[in-house]
Amino acid sequence: MGFVPGQGQRGDAIRGGVPICFPWFGPGRSVDMKPAHGFARVTEWKVADGISNDDAASTACFVLTHEDIDPRLRGEFLHEFRAEYTVDFGADLTMSLTVTNTGSTAFEFEEALHTYLSVGDSQRISIEGLDGARYFDKVAQQEQEQSGPIAITDETDRVYYSEDTVQVKDPALARTITVAKEGSANTVVWNPWTEKSKDMTDFADDEWQTMVCVETANVLDNAVRLNAGESHTMTQRLSVSRGA
């Protein structure tokens, strides 16, 4: 999410868990927006209705509005909004981000749940469910088409044009992670590999070996447009099963 009390300093992004990218992704479509991935992940969210619990699950809801944002971080995004992030902890982990246009004029935004998944060995995993999907390769700076499962063999930074469910087969840990989603036109797959890991001060040189990001997103040409009073919800559901 954004800043979490007790973890780092206010305004620092956390490289792990599920940071929320909003209202732009990376440097934004204008390629010069700062901070990277927008202001949502470096701003403290408020607890909305506390945490509810029952025998099967726990639910937490957090809220962020335009009034919570440091004006220095808003860039060109000066619109009025309310974002609600709801997390259900049960047999599955379900996360929903709902953005509402609370102003009087339409706006567009990008969004992503920048999910870091722990894997036994990133070079042995197989990411299935995107065969035949077009994607923009941010490393090669060109569009391509996926053929077969995805294997991590080099720096990987791809925006897939797909609404489909993805499975991460992880033989080293003998498990499969399923990423299902709704309200999302893109899946982003990211692993920094060796050289980029060394360049990141908040990422250990060898951490690329035990992680992969599979992100539920609406970015680039699939940015969301909201008219005044409209809302949009994007949901991802993570589940784990034994065997890969």
Side-chain angles (χ1 to χ4, degrees):
M1 200 166 66
F3 168 80
V4 178
Q7 298 184 22
Q9 300 297 315
R10 190 183 304 273
D12 290 344
I14 298 172
R15 196 176 291 281
V18 188
I20 296 175
C21 304
F22 172 84
W24 58 83
F25 181 76
R29 288 176 292 166
S30 62
V31 198
D32 59 359
M33 300 293 285
K34 295 181 180 180
H37 291 317
F39 47 66
R41 70 173 188 159
V42 293
T43 302
E44 185 172 0
W45 293 54
K46 298 174 181 176
V47 178
D49 299 312
I51 297 176
S52 62
N53 297 282
D54 58 33
D55 292 338
S58 297
T59 299
C61 183
F62 306 87
V63 173
L64 184 73
T65 75
H66 59 279
E67 296 178 337
D68 302 317
I69 310 304
D70 185 327
R72 295 170 296 180
L73 301 178
R74 297 193 66 177
E76 299 173 0
F77 194 86
L78 303 178
H79 309 286
E80 297 180 7
F81 71 91
R82 175 184 172 89
E84 293 188 11
Y85 181 54
T86 303
V87 186
D88 293 315
F89 305 88
D92 299 336
L93 177 62
T94 303
M95 292 150 278
S96 294
L97 177 64
T98 298
V99 178
T100 301
N101 182 346
T102 57
S104 58
T105 59
F107 62 75
E108 292 187 350
F109 64 93
E110 296 177 289
E111 60 180 347
L113 299 177
H114 199 312
T115 308
Y116 285 73
L117 300 177
S118 176
V119 297
D121 183 348
S122 62
Q123 295 178 88
R124 294 176 58 194
I125 65 172
S126 174
I127 302 174
E128 301 181 359
L130 294 168
D131 184 28
R134 291 186 307 112
Y135 67 90
F136 180 68
D137 189 326
K138 297 179 72 175
V139 178
Q141 287 293 297
Q142 62 183 22
E143 288 210 354
Q144 301 187 41
E145 183 174 304
Q146 182 64 37
S147 178
I150 301 167
I152 305 299
T153 59
D154 204 340
E155 181 184 351
T156 303
D157 194 354
R158 303 174 181 177
V159 178
Y160 284 85
Y161 302 98
S162 173
E163 299 178 355
D164 294 337
T165 294
V166 170
Q167 291 189 322
V168 180
K169 305 285 188 175
D170 183 1
L173 295 181
R175 68 181 188 177
T176 296
I177 303 171
T178 298
V179 184
K181 59 180 189 167
E182 300 171 9
S184 161
N186 303 112
T187 293
V188 179
V189 177
W190 180 72
N191 181 287
W193 202 248
T194 56
E195 294 306 312
K196 192 160 188 176
S197 293
K198 294 176 183 178
D199 291 338
M200 294 188 292
T201 58
D202 57 351
F203 196 85
D205 291 354
D206 61 352
E207 281 191 288
W208 65 270
Q209 299 176 24
T210 55
M211 58 74 63
V212 67
C213 285
V214 178
E215 309 168 36
T216 296
N218 289 297
V219 299
L220 302 178
D221 292 341
N222 295 117
V224 177
R225 178 180 175 84
L226 289 181
N227 292 319
E230 290 183 338
S231 297
H232 175 271
T233 298
M234 180 177 71
T235 299
Q236 76 171 5
R237 184 173 296 104
L238 305 181
S239 58
V240 180
S241 58
R242 303 307 300 175

